[in-house]
Amino acid sequence: MIRTVSTTPYQDQKPGTSGLRKKVPVFQQPNYVENFVQSIFDSLEGYHGKTLVLGGDGRYYNREAIQVIIRMAAANGFGKLMIGQGGILSTPATSNMIRKYKAFGGIILSASHNAGGPHEDFGIKYNSENGGPAPEKITDRIFEISKKISQYKIADVGPVDLDKLGTTMAGDMTVEVFDPVKDYAELMESLFDFDAISAMIKGGFRMQFDAMHAVTGPYAKEILEKRLGAPDGTARNYHPLEDFGGHHPDPNLVHAKALYDDVMSPSGPDFGAASDGDGDRNMVVGKGIFITPSDSLAIIAANATLAKGYKKGIAGVARSMPTSGAADRVAQKLGVGFYETPTGWKFFGNLLDAGKVTLCGEESFGTGSNHVREKDGLWAVLFWLNIIAARGESAKQIVEKHWAEYGRNYYSRHDYEEVESDRANALVAELRGKLASLPGTSVRGMKIAAADDFAYHDPVDGSISEHQGIRVMFEGGSRVVFRLSGTGTSGATLRVYIERYEPDKTRHDLDTQEALADLIAAADDIAGIRSHTGRDKPSVIT
């Protein structure tokens, strides 16, 4: 039986850059999940009888939310629901399933790299039929509907056994519980030279992959250990846990420090990598070197033809605005297009669908290509393994040769987390107010060439996205970028991006923070970070 239930709207269900993210107790409020899911369905057209893909990163409240969505999808007329076994399905794997099986769309339950647990974060994101995050026109529509919603539909059907593979019925809707790893692993095997990587591992190459007790654990076990022959234990922390083992599933130098320290130790492995909560981010570390996401994108672009899925070359490269310009120079040398977009993977979708770019990347540890419409953590790791195997060089040698050819972009991100929203907004408002007066002035002996509030004009659909981050550009190519993040759930996160281009190869071995010291000080002078936030240092430096 299908019931129509009266409800009262919530006013805080505005999706951010990657869906709706709130603390678990917020989602546990009466009808909170139901209201948002119904708002998603009400924002869509033409899905009756179609297929919907569903899964999440295994965090706390994942299974409960899935059961609600099953009943609501059945009531709203979907013909089939495909669910990852155990409720597990990484974000890139979800994108692949939508594309491979021509589903109408998908729902991903994750708060990405944010902490999980009864009092931590949860999230719901809708992906469209191209496999990518819903565009702004849909997320805006979802929010408008959510503010006025008065009822939702739900079917009175029993719970579905998420751990049993196979097909069952929920009312008139077919529910298929499938292996979440199989299709994704086959896709990776079609893109990369597994034989060459396996031979390298058999020859003594050692690596470690930290799944951080998040969604990529089962994927890493299957691909790295079973298919590529890496020793048992190569995939560490591979059991997805509801609270990620009490840790932050964020693959960076703070939360994945143990992995970094292992690789840097004399007896440690040759290469290390990690992924985040939902499997779309990555960190890669070579013996003696941390590889920044900006450099990683540039080096993958420069070496793309070494992987069998990209042997014909790439159409172009896109990066988010705060990401360093390292990939731009590669694209220029290759004679392909390069694009600068706002932060948020959805902005890459049009470029990928139009065939304008093949590779995309963000400084926030996200890299991907046209194989799906999401960033893909394990894909990036496999690309690096393919490059190392094909070139027969260490990761450090590959990076240093790249710098020698293209120059080095010293780059760092300083995050000030959970800043009081009023303080963070005041900082941005004050900074915007003086943008016009900054060009031509000097700070710490450096002359400001230009300053703006970045706006993006989509070359495919003509849409305009404004207020995407404040840029202060100095003569000589250095710059500082200020942006408030949309991925947190408490207060505001102020992100400050600092970049200096260094073409002189004799100056490529400096400590990053030392090389950027004057720019870091200038950022505080320009924006008044300490006075506005009350912080004398960032929460996280990457």
Side-chain angles (χ1 to χ4, degrees), residues 186-493:
E186 290 174 354
L187 176 62
M188 294 301 104
E189 200 157 1
S190 74
L191 296 175
F192 302 114
D193 190 342
F194 275 29
D195 290 339
I197 298 171
S198 295
M200 179 176 70
I201 291 171
K202 287 177 182 176
F205 179 86
R206 294 187 300 139
M207 73 165 292
Q208 281 280 298
F209 179 88
D210 191 347
M212 307 188 86
H213 286 302
V215 78
T216 51
Y219 297 85
K221 265 295 195 188
E222 172 66 26
I223 295 172
L224 297 178
E225 296 184 8
K226 294 182 181 178
R227 298 198 182 204
L228 291 174
D232 185 49
T234 295
R236 60 167 74 168
N237 301 322
Y238 65 89
H239 285 297
L241 299 176
E242 289 189 335
D243 65 349
F244 306 114
H247 301 292
H248 226 78
D250 196 352
N252 58 37
L253 293 177
V254 174
H255 300 296
K257 189 175 186 301
L259 175 73
Y260 173 84
D261 290 343
D262 282 353
V263 177
M264 296 304 160
S265 68
S267 60
D270 302 295
F271 184 79
S275 192
D276 70 328
D278 65 330
D280 61 359
R281 298 186 183 211
N282 74 91
M283 181 181 84
V284 286
V285 183
K287 178 72 75 180
I289 191 167
F290 164 68
I291 303 163
T292 71
S294 297
D295 279 341
S296 182
L297 173 63
I299 292 166
I300 286 174
N303 293 275
T305 55
L306 297 179
K308 65 181 182 182
Y310 306 87
K311 279 195 179 300
K312 294 181 180 179
I314 60 175
V317 183
R319 62 168 175 85
S320 64
M321 181 273 287
T323 303
S324 94
D328 300 1
R329 278 183 296 281
V330 174
Q332 287 174 317
K333 184 170 183 177
L334 293 175
V336 299
F338 57 96
Y339 301 84
E340 184 178 40
T341 74
T343 296
W345 206 260
K346 58 191 174 186
F347 292 102
F348 294 136
N350 279 351
L351 297 171
L352 291 165
D353 287 344
K356 289 183 176 294
V357 301
T358 304
L359 300 173
C360 304
E362 296 179 328
E363 53 70 39
S364 54
F365 294 77
T367 325
S369 84
N370 58 353
H371 70 291
V372 291
R373 291 298 181 269
E374 290 277 6
K375 47 186 175 274
D376 190 345
L378 198 48
W379 168 91
V381 174
L382 290 168
F383 217 133
W384 266 96
L385 292 175
N386 198 140
I387 293 169
I388 292 168
R391 290 183 53 155
E393 298 170 320
S394 70
K396 188 170 189 288
Q397 289 171 324
I398 291 169
V399 173
E400 289 175 343
K401 286 184 178 181
H402 183 88
W403 289 341
E405 182 175 354
Y406 293 95
R408 179 177 182 182
N409 285 70
Y410 282 102
Y411 182 86
S412 185
R413 188 180 90 190
H414 289 201
D415 288 355
Y416 297 81
E417 296 178 335
E418 298 187 358
V419 177
E420 291 178 28
S421 296
D422 289 346
R423 288 184 170 217
N425 291 329
L427 181 153
V428 171
E430 183 180 298
L431 189 52
R432 281 190 176 126
K434 61 183 181 183
L435 283 176
S437 65
L438 288 176
T441 63
S442 293
V443 184
R444 305 267 171 167
M446 298 174 291
K447 191 172 182 179
I448 297 175
D452 66 10
D453 195 350
F454 178 64
Y456 177 62
H457 297 251
D458 192 302
V460 179
D461 65 15
S463 62
I464 300 173
S465 300
E466 299 179 316
H467 306 301
Q468 296 296 320
I470 294 170
R471 303 185 295 180
V472 179
M473 283 80 78
F474 297 87
E475 290 184 351
S478 298
R479 67 173 186 158
V480 177
V481 175
F482 304 87
R483 180 178 159 270
L484 295 183
S485 171
T487 59
T489 59
S490 298
T493 296

Side-chain angles (χ1 to χ4, degrees), residues 4-11 13 29-36 38-39 42 72 145-153:
T4 300
V5 181
S6 296
T7 189
T8 302
Y10 292 89
Q11 300 302 310
Q13 295 191 329
Q29 294 177 97
N31 296 342
Y32 196 88
V33 170
E34 289 87 343
N35 280 16
F36 189 68
Q38 188 65 57
S39 297
D42 288 350
M72 292 188 68
I145 292 170
S146 76
K147 292 188 292 184
K148 303 171 185 175
I149 191 169
S150 61
Q151 61 185 32
Y152 64 85
K153 294 179 181 178

Side-chain angles (χ1 to χ4, degrees), residues 11-47:
Q11 300 302 310
D12 64 346
Q13 295 191 329
K14 181 175 177 59
T17 53
S18 291
L20 180 67
R21 294 181 185 173
K22 302 287 182 183
K23 296 296 183 186
V24 167
V26 174
F27 276 100
Q28 290 175 324
Q29 294 177 97
N31 296 342
Y32 196 88
V33 170
E34 289 87 343
N35 280 16
F36 189 68
V37 172
Q38 188 65 57
S39 297
I40 292 174
F41 294 159
D42 288 350
S43 73
L44 307 173
E45 296 177 351
Y47 60 77

